[in-house]
Amino acid sequence: MKSMEQELQCPVCKDIVKQPIVLPCLHSVCLMCASEVLVQSGYPQPELPPEPNSPASTPNTRSPRQIRRPMPKSDRVDRLLRSGSGTYPGRRRKEGPSPLMLFPCAPCGRDVELGERGLAECMRNLTLERIVERYRHTVSLGSVAVMCEFCKPPQALEATKGCADCRASFCKECFKLYHPWGTPRAQHEHVQPTLNFRPKVLTCPEHDQERMQFYCKSCQMLLCSLCKLRRIHAGHKIAPVTQAYQTLKDKITKELNYILANQDMVLTQITQLENAITQTAVNSVSAKEQLSHCVKEMMALLTERQTMLAQALESSRQRRAEALANQVAEKRSLLEHASLMAFTQELLKENDPSSFVHAARITHKRLAQSIESMQRFSLSADPSFRHFQLDVSRELKLLTDLNFIQAPLAPVIDTQRTLAYDQLFLSWRLPQDSTPAWHYSVEFRRRGVEPGGGARGGIRGGLAAARWGWQRLEEVTGTCAVIDRLEMDSVYVLRVRGCNKAGFGEYSEEVYLHTPPAPVLNFYLDSRWGLHADRLVVSKEQRCARSVPGLSLLQAADRALTSCHLTADLLVGDVAITQGRHYWACSVEPGSYLVKVGVGLESKLQEWFHLPQDMASPRYDPDSGHDSGAEDSSDSPPPFSFLTMGMGKIYLPSSTNSHHNANYRESGFTNGNGPSSPTGVTYPLPPRLGVCLDFEKGRVTFYDAHSLRPLWEGPVDCSAPVCPAFCFIGGGALQLQELVANRNANQTPVRRVTIQSRVTKLN
C-alpha cells in the first residue's frame, strides 16, 4: 500500500489530497488548492469549510455536558459548497447567466470548464478520501491520537471507535453508554476514529439531500431523481447507479486482471523504455557532435569565402589606384613648369619651318589629347566600391530559419478524388508550409475493429481482433495509393502520414469509405443497337454518352401541345447478366433534362428498339413495364426498373416495400428539401448513382454512390438475361464510373464481356 502514494498526491500541492473534489475532467484536487488556483486566476474567493483537523471542524471544543445534543445530519463541506447557489422551485432568475469558470488542470494541460456555479458543481471524491484514510492508518502518516469527544478533558481517553451516523469518536465506555444495546443507536455504522467524518453517500450538489441514484451514459454523469427529469437528459440512456457500478467494476476488474497477468509484457516494455533512454542519451551526444561539425563546416566555408572576396577586393583596389595614379601623373605634366609645357615652349622657339614641322607633330598630338582630356574630364576609376557590397539578406534569412529538419506535416486527403469502387483509391497532398516527404505510409482498417486490441467485446475480444487492426502500405512514393482485396459492403478507415530524414510526421485526419455491396461490373456502352447519330453521341472509349435534341424534336414540336409523346433514346451495356450480384456506378450531368438509369430484360429492350423512336416512355406503356414497378398491380415483377433524374433532381417513386422508405428516412436522407407526394419524392441529384442487381432475388437497389446510402429498392424480372440500360429524353449526358484499376493505364483496356456475350443479331 505504500507504493501508491503517488496516486494519492494532489497535482497542485504535490501532497496527499485533503478534501478532494472531482473536476469535470475526472482529475481530483484538494478543495483548498482548487480555491487558491481560482483566486490566482482572478475569480472571487469561494466560501470554504475549515480544515478537518482545526478546532472549528471537530466537536472537541464542546462542553462534555452537552452529550445529548443531537449530532449534525449533513456534511458541512457539501452544505457550504451549495450555499448561495443553485435553482429552487419558485425562484425566478433575474440576472443573466454568470460567466463560466475555467480551471487550469495541470494533468490535462488545458482549461476545464467548471460551469456557472464553480466548485459547487464538483462533488467530493469520497472513495479517494477513504483510500487516503486507510493509507494514513496503514503507514502511520501524520497519525494523531483521536481523543474521545464525550469524556471530561482532564480524564479524556483515546477514542477507539467512531460512529458515522453520530459523526463523533468515542472511547470504549462512552460508546457503550451512547449506543445502548437494543436501541436504534446500536444499529449505527461503526468506523475507525477520525477527525473528518464524511457523508455515507454522494448527494446532488444542486438538490440538497438527494442521493445520486442514476447514471447518464450519454452525458457520463451521476444524476439524482430530480436531475433525471430535466429536459436536457430527455432521450438519453440512463441506468441505475448500481448497474453502472457493477458494469464499471467488472470492466476495471478485467483490466486489472489483464495487466496483472501480463507483467512479463510490462517488464519487457520497461526494458525497452530504459534502452530507449540510454539510446536517447547516446544519440543526443551524436547529434550535438553533428551539429558542431555542421556549424564548423559553415564557418570554414565562410572564412574561405571571406578570404576569396577580400583578395578580389584588394586586386580591384590596386588596379583602381594604379589607374588614378597614372591619371594624376598625366595631369601634372600639364602644369606650367612641367616637362611637357617647358618642352613645348622651347619647341616654339624653333624658326626653321621644315625642322619645326618635322618635330612638332607629335607634340601637337599630345597637346590635343591633353586638351580633350581637360574638356572631358572624368576619373579613370570609380573610388566608391559600390559593386563590392554584399547582399546577405537571403543568407541571413536562411541562417535565421536554420533549424533541425522537421517531419512532414499531416497530409490533407482529397475527398473529391478519393473513392471506393472496384478498388480503393486514396489521394492526398501536403500543406504548403510543410517540409517535403520522401515517401508516405498509408494505413487502413475495417471500421468496428479497434487497433491494438480495443475492439468491442472487452479485453478478450480486443485481443482476438488485434490482428485485424491497422494494415499498412509502406514507402508510397506518390500522393495517391490504390488498395485492393478489400471486403465488400464494409466501411474502412484510412489515414496517411509522410516520412523524411526526420522520421514520420503526424497522421492525416481519418476518412471513412464504404466499399460497394457487390462485385463491380465492368462494361461499356453498346453502340450497335441503331443509335441516332443526330441525337445521341457515344465517346470513343464508349463510357460516356451525350444526348442533344436534334431536328426530330423540332419537327415534333407541332404536336407537343396535343400529345405526351417525346423523343426517347435507349442505350444499353454490352453485357448480359445471368447470375450473381453486381454493382456499377455512373454520373449524370446536373443540367440534363431527363435521364433514366436502371436495368431491364434484354428481350424486352430489343422489342423496344423495334418500335418507332418517337414513342411514349416505357413508364406509360402498360406492356413494357414501369419505372419503379409500383404501379403494376399484377404479382409478376416488371421487366424494367428505372430511376429518373433531371434538372439537378432525382425522383424516388413510392416503393411497394414501405419499410425501405422508413429506413431511408431513419438514415437521414429525408432532409425535408424534397417535396413529397403520394407517388414519390424528389431530392437533389447525388454526384454519382450506384446500381446493385441481385439476379437470384430479382431485386435492384439504387445507391448514392458517394456515401453508399440506399435510395430506393424494387423488383425486376430476372427470368432471362438482364442488361444495364439508360434512357435519354431531351438533352443530357451520362458517364460510367471508371475502374480504379484503369486510372493509371496509358491506353484504353481491351474490352471484354464480363458475364455473358449478348447476341447482336435481332430475331
Side-chain angles (χ1 to χ4, degrees), residues 650-669:
I650 181 171
Y651 176 76
L652 303 181
S654 60
S655 174
T656 55
N657 301 328
S658 59
H659 66 278
H660 281 289
N661 289 337
N663 292 338
Y664 305 148
R665 296 187 182 95
E666 291 177 0
S667 65
F669 187 78

Side-chain angles (χ1 to χ4, degrees), residues 103-362:
F103 184 87
C105 180
C108 294
R110 61 183 180 88
D111 292 339
V112 180
E113 293 185 3
L114 296 182
E116 298 180 3
R117 304 169 61 239
L119 296 179
E121 296 188 4
C122 300
M123 292 185 291
R124 293 177 62 178
N125 195 339
L126 299 182
T127 302
L128 182 58
E129 289 188 28
R130 297 187 184 100
I131 295 175
V132 169
E133 186 172 345
R134 292 196 298 267
Y135 175 77
R136 287 181 180 274
H137 181 75
T138 301
V139 301
S140 299
L141 179 62
S143 59
V144 179
V146 181
M147 307 305 294
C148 177
E149 303 177 10
F150 297 92
C151 293
K152 293 182 180 180
Q155 300 176 355
L157 301 178
E158 185 175 353
T160 59
K161 290 184 179 180
C163 180
D165 295 276
C166 298
R167 303 177 60 79
S169 298
F170 301 85
C171 65
K172 185 176 181 180
E173 296 298 329
C174 291
F175 188 83
K176 292 180 180 180
L177 179 62
Y178 295 103
H179 296 80
W181 184 260
T183 62
R185 286 196 174 189
Q187 306 298 325
H188 287 185
E189 181 182 356
H190 305 165
V191 295
Q192 293 290 336
T194 180
L195 299 176
N196 181 24
F197 286 95
R198 296 173 299 276
K200 293 183 179 180
V201 294
L202 283 175
T203 56
C204 180
E206 190 166 353
H207 304 99
D208 197 8
Q209 300 304 318
E210 288 291 336
R211 300 179 60 178
M212 312 299 283
Q213 299 177 345
F214 301 96
Y215 180 74
C216 180
K217 298 181 180 179
S218 303
C219 300
Q220 296 186 356
M221 61 183 299
L222 293 169
L223 303 176
C224 68
S225 56
L226 298 180
C227 292
K228 177 186 175 184
L229 302 178
R230 286 186 169 181
R231 184 182 302 174
I232 190 175
H233 298 291
H236 288 187
K237 296 181 179 179
I238 299 178
V241 70
T242 54
Q243 179 182 347
Y245 158 80
Q246 191 62 41
T247 302
L248 185 58
K249 192 172 184 178
D250 293 343
K251 289 183 179 179
I252 293 177
T253 303
K254 290 181 180 179
E255 294 166 353
L256 178 62
N257 294 336
Y258 174 78
I259 294 176
L260 294 178
N262 291 272
Q263 291 296 295
D264 295 339
M265 182 189 304
V266 176
L267 294 176
T268 302
Q269 294 175 356
I270 291 176
T271 303
Q272 293 178 357
L273 291 173
E274 292 175 347
N275 295 336
I277 293 175
T278 305
Q279 196 67 24
T280 300
V282 174
N283 292 339
S284 65
V285 174
S286 176
K288 288 180 181 179
E289 294 178 353
Q290 184 181 8
L291 173 63
S292 177
H293 177 69
C294 292
V295 173
K296 287 181 180 179
E297 283 187 347
M298 287 192 298
M299 294 179 64
L301 182 60
L302 284 175
T303 303
E304 180 182 356
R305 192 65 177 172
Q306 179 186 7
T307 302
M308 184 183 67
L309 294 177
Q311 291 177 355
L313 181 63
E314 181 62 22
S315 300
S316 177
R317 186 198 64 78
Q318 292 178 358
R319 291 194 302 270
R320 295 187 184 193
E322 183 179 356
L324 292 174
N326 293 336
Q327 191 175 14
V328 170
E330 181 182 353
K331 296 301 179 182
R332 290 182 181 277
S333 66
L334 300 181
L335 296 177
E336 181 179 0
H337 301 291
S339 58
L340 179 58
M341 296 295 100
F343 177 77
T344 304
Q345 292 176 0
E346 293 298 327
L347 180 62
L348 292 175
K349 296 178 180 180
E350 179 63 41
N351 295 325
D352 184 16
S354 57
S355 299
F356 178 82
V357 172
H358 179 69
R361 285 181 299 175
I362 185 62

